[in-house]
Amino acid sequence: MENRTVKADMTLSVDPVLIRRAGRILAEGGLVAFPTETVYGLGANALDPEASQKIYRAKGRPSDNPLIVHIARMEDLLRIASRVPKQAEALAEAFWPGPLTMVFPKTDIVPKATTGGLDTVAVRMPDNEIALALIREAGGFVAAPSANLSGRPSPTEAEHVAQDMDGRIDLIIDGGKVGIGVESTIVDLSGDAPEILRPGFVSRAMLEAVIGPVKDDPAMLDETKRPKAPGMKYRHYAPKAEMLLVQGAQEDVTAYINRQIAKAVQNGEMPGVIASEETKGQYAGGIVKSIGSRRDELSIAQHLYGVLREFDDQGVSRIFSEAFDTPSLGQAIMNRLIKAAGHQIVNV
Ligand code: TXA
Ligand code: MG
């Protein structure tokens, strides 16, 4: 493990000299955190088992949780995926570079240290100039989970990465705040029929418009089932506070949360509320944060993890969150909120 983490600022432009330096660190087996359009990634050379292992150590990540391999050129896909169905080509054409990860049977050059022991590999081409330049410079294949300590909310700005990873990795590239804020959609194309393993910015409707019917992994809705994306079983994205998700008509939600705040304050606790621009003025007491506007669902995704981190920093002991079933990103946002709440949901 390294004890000095260098920070490189590329918020204004992609600096080719720094990219070369970062690419060399990766090629030599080191760890570099970099921006993508979804969340910050913690990169290592995906074809080097020892480099991949360093990611698990730096994050404190369970070794059965496979990494996504990031590529920058379409032709590189065939070097790591042994079977690429027509549907995958169509999805890549429609959404790459972008927030879509696809799972394929892997070729022999991908070490099992990268795939958590699986015979499949998850691949994505991120839509971010810094990321693409870095991947090319590093040789084409960068394994990268989200750049947070295991169990913490994913980083949506470089400062979040520094909070978790300072002293554990070689370099952090600051590319400013990310544009999407929740991780990529994962679709499994290694089986008979395409299946969504993790919801993200690319919604089911967007996928189905390109390839027709797509199933959900049944484990996404049923916590007693074993998810096909091993990482989905962990209590991810979790704030330190106890969290409760409150669902129902807005006035009932507001009334319920206000009663809970009053109780918590009476018990000497410091409660927090995840509200929206439209509702933040309706709560009395506690720390109330707007996560975004219900009329702009991307703003909600962008602020979700940052708000959870802020509550951690402020030492809030209990968080009450409104539900956000927005039209396109709602499935991804609710999936993350339900996990953050450890499946504690109340319908009012
Ligand atoms: O947006 C993203 O996908 C971000 C950025 C950095 O690209 N990355 C990301 O990685 O979210 P991570 O490691 O936090 O989540 C990867 C998820 C885990 O749930 C893991 O189990 C699943 O992908 N996964 C990886 N390889 C898989 C495979 N071969 N089969 C099934 N699931 C896989
Ligand atoms: Mg993650």
Side-chain angles (χ1 to χ4, degrees), residues 36 38-41 61 65-68 70 101 103 118 120-122 124 144-146 183-184 186 197-198 228-232:
T36 80
T38 57
V39 299
Y40 273 75
R61 181 179 177 105
N65 189 0
L67 306 173
I68 294 173
H70 294 65
T101 295
V103 176
L118 299 177
T120 54
V121 61
R124 137 168 153 86
S146 49
E183 302 86 345
S184 61
I186 303 180
L197 307 188
R198 179 175 74 181
K228 296 200 182 74
M232 298 293 280

Side-chain angles (χ1 to χ4, degrees), residues 61-82:
R61 181 179 177 105
S63 62
D64 69 342
N65 189 0
L67 306 173
I68 294 173
V69 179
H70 294 65
I71 60 172
R73 293 171 291 241
M74 195 56 203
E75 61 267 29
D76 285 342
L77 177 59
L78 291 168
R79 292 187 54 204
I80 55 175
S82 64

Side-chain angles (χ1 to χ4, degrees), residues 83-342:
R83 189 166 46 78
V84 176
K86 281 272 172 302
Q87 289 168 317
E89 282 173 21
L91 290 175
E93 176 74 27
F95 300 114
W96 278 2
L100 175 70
T101 295
M102 293 188 272
V103 176
F104 304 101
K106 76 174 192 68
T107 62
D108 290 342
I109 69 164
V110 184
K112 286 204 170 169
T114 298
T115 64
L118 299 177
D119 293 320
T120 54
V121 61
V123 188
R124 137 168 153 86
M125 190 188 292
D127 187 11
N128 177 289
E129 284 310 316
I130 296 172
L132 292 170
L134 177 66
I135 295 162
R136 280 192 294 266
E137 192 67 33
F141 305 95
V142 175
S146 49
N148 51 283
L149 285 174
S150 204
R152 292 261 287 156
S154 297
T156 52
E157 52 189 280
E159 184 49 36
H160 298 162
V161 180
Q163 283 171 6
D164 284 12
M165 291 296 158
D166 208 13
R168 293 172 173 263
I169 64 176
D170 300 292
L171 177 70
I172 298 172
I173 301 177
D174 186 351
K177 288 189 181 170
V178 300
I180 293 180
V182 293
E183 302 86 345
S184 61
T185 306
I186 303 180
V187 180
D188 186 356
L189 289 144
S190 68
D192 297 334
E195 198 170 327
I196 300 176
L197 307 188
R198 179 175 74 181
F201 180 86
V202 178
S203 66
R204 169 210 295 289
M206 288 159 78
L207 295 167
E208 291 189 336
V210 179
I211 58 168
V214 180
K215 303 188 288 183
D216 277 337
D217 178 357
M220 276 198 323
L221 291 173
D222 180 350
E223 57 170 321
T224 63
K225 290 208 166 73
R226 186 190 169 85
K228 296 200 182 74
M232 298 293 280
K233 70 174 177 281
Y234 296 105
R235 186 178 173 214
H236 244 180
Y237 324 119
K240 289 172 193 153
E242 277 283 298
M243 182 165 149
L244 181 68
L245 195 55
V246 186
Q247 259 176 333
Q250 187 57 52
E251 60 268 30
D252 300 334
V253 169
T254 314
Y256 179 88
I257 292 180
N258 272 324
R259 285 198 300 277
Q260 298 303 314
I261 296 174
K263 258 192 239 166
V265 169
Q266 242 168 30
N267 293 336
E269 285 185 61
M270 169 71 90
V273 179
I274 299 181
S276 63
E277 280 304 300
E278 290 79 13
T279 58
K280 65 182 180 191
Q282 297 168 13
Y283 297 99
I287 300 178
V288 181
K289 291 188 193 291
S290 163
I291 185 179
S293 167
R294 287 182 182 275
R295 285 191 290 271
D296 174 9
E297 53 179 337
L298 189 54
S299 71
I300 295 174
Q302 282 166 341
H303 295 119
L304 193 158
Y305 288 133
V307 162
L308 294 178
R309 275 182 185 259
E310 282 175 28
F311 277 133
D312 274 359
D313 296 343
Q314 292 175 313
V316 160
S317 56
R318 202 175 273 281
I319 300 170
F320 301 99
S321 178
E322 296 178 3
F324 295 89
D325 288 300
T326 58
S328 182
L329 274 165
Q331 201 195 3
I333 293 167
M334 288 300 284
N335 172 271
R336 303 327 187 257
L337 282 173
I338 289 169
K339 278 170 171 283

